[in-house]
């Protein structure tokens, strides 16, 4: 939903400062990048430390200490606080009176309201958010790109170290696999 609102604003030649998740997927991110260039506006996400042109102090320190260009980085992250990938509740709950459920859904497919979805846990379901990586990636991945001066990745590796069957409730999945490399 954020990308839809950001695009409409840029089409009106308005600069946008959008809270995460800025986009739902890479396609939306690229469309917003192209729109910012086309309409000559600034499009920024909710990361105030990245808005300047200068590298942050950590970036300057890394640059001084490195004798060669860094071509990659390793980022480790575990998100145990988000209800991502767990079963959607089949128990319909009454919509809180202060919440306009249809407005909140925006462009997402309709589902009945369930308890404990808003204000936080919506992030863990693809229909509404982007999961743990989309939610926290801007805090974990983006600084490495800025500090190290990296461009778009050409390959990525990901592994799942644990699965959750409920909030803060670790489960077991025999289908969890070791890291696997992907390339475009």
């Amino acid at each position: 939903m954020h990308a839809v609102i950001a695009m409409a604003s840029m089409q009106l030649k308005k600069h946008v400062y959008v809270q995460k998740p800025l986009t739902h997927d890479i396609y939306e991110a690229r469309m917003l990048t192209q729109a910012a260039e086309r309409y000559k506006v600034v499009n920024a996400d909710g990361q105030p430390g990245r808005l300047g042109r200068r590298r942050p102090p950590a970036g300057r320190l890394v640059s001084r200490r490195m004798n060669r260009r860094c071509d990659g980085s390793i980022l480790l992250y575990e998100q145990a606080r988000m209800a991502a990938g767990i079963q959607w509740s089949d128990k319909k709950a009454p919509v809180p009176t202060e919440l306009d459920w249809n407005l909140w859904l925006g462009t997402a497919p309709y589902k009945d309201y369930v308890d404990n979805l808003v204000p936080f846990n919506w992030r863990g379901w693809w229909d509404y958010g982007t999961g743990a990586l989309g939610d926290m990636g801007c805090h974990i991945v983006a600084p490495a790109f800025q500090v190290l001066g990296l461009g778009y990745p050409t390959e990525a590796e990901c592994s799942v170290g644990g699965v959750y069957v409920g909030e803060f409730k670790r489960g077991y999945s025999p289908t969890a696999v070791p890291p696997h490399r992907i390339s475009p």
Side-chain angles (χ1 to χ4, degrees):
M1 190 65 181
H2 292 177
V4 173
I5 296 167
M7 180 64 79
S9 298
M10 286 191 284
Q11 288 170 338
L12 294 171
K13 300 195 189 283
K14 304 285 184 188
H15 301 292
V16 293
Y17 181 78
V18 185
Q19 186 52 277
K20 68 174 184 172
L22 175 63
T23 65
H24 195 75
D25 54 39
I26 293 170
Y27 174 79
E28 287 182 354
R30 290 182 176 157
M31 293 298 99
L32 289 182
T33 299
Q34 291 173 6
E37 291 170 1
R38 182 181 319 120
Y39 299 113
K40 298 179 181 16
V41 295
V42 175
N43 172 27
D45 73 346
Q47 292 289 309
R50 292 198 327 254
L51 292 179
R53 291 185 185 267
R54 293 180 41 207
R55 277 192 172 171
R60 293 192 297 275
L61 177 64
V62 168
S63 294
R64 283 197 303 266
R65 299 214 186 265
M66 288 177 57
N67 295 325
R68 62 180 179 81
R69 173 159 166 65
C70 176
D71 292 322
S73 61
I74 296 172
L75 305 159
L76 303 172
Y77 175 65
E78 181 175 352
Q79 174 69 292
R81 66 186 176 97
M82 182 183 298
I86 64 173
Q87 186 69 32
W88 183 264
S89 175
D90 57 0
K91 297 176 185 165
K92 183 179 174 182
V95 177
T97 56
E98 66 276 8
L99 177 64
D100 182 334
W101 182 237
N102 287 324
L103 179 63
W104 187 91
L105 283 172
T107 59
Y110 183 85
K111 286 186 182 174
D112 289 329
Y113 178 81
V114 295
D115 275 333
N116 207 17
L117 181 66
V118 294
F120 180 81
N121 286 331
W122 59 269
R123 304 157 189 246
W125 279 273
W126 186 251
D127 285 344
Y128 312 117
T130 53
L133 182 59
D135 186 51
M136 296 302 293
C138 61
H139 301 291
I140 297 162
V141 177
F145 276 76
Q146 184 181 22
V147 167
L148 299 173
L150 302 176
Y152 288 122
T154 56
E155 60 181 300
E157 183 175 321
C158 179
S159 68
V160 176
V163 295
Y164 290 83
V165 294
E167 286 185 85
F168 305 103
K169 185 177 177 188
R170 192 178 278 270
Y172 169 74
S173 174
T175 60
V177 296
H180 178 73
R181 288 180 110 30
I182 60 169
S183 297

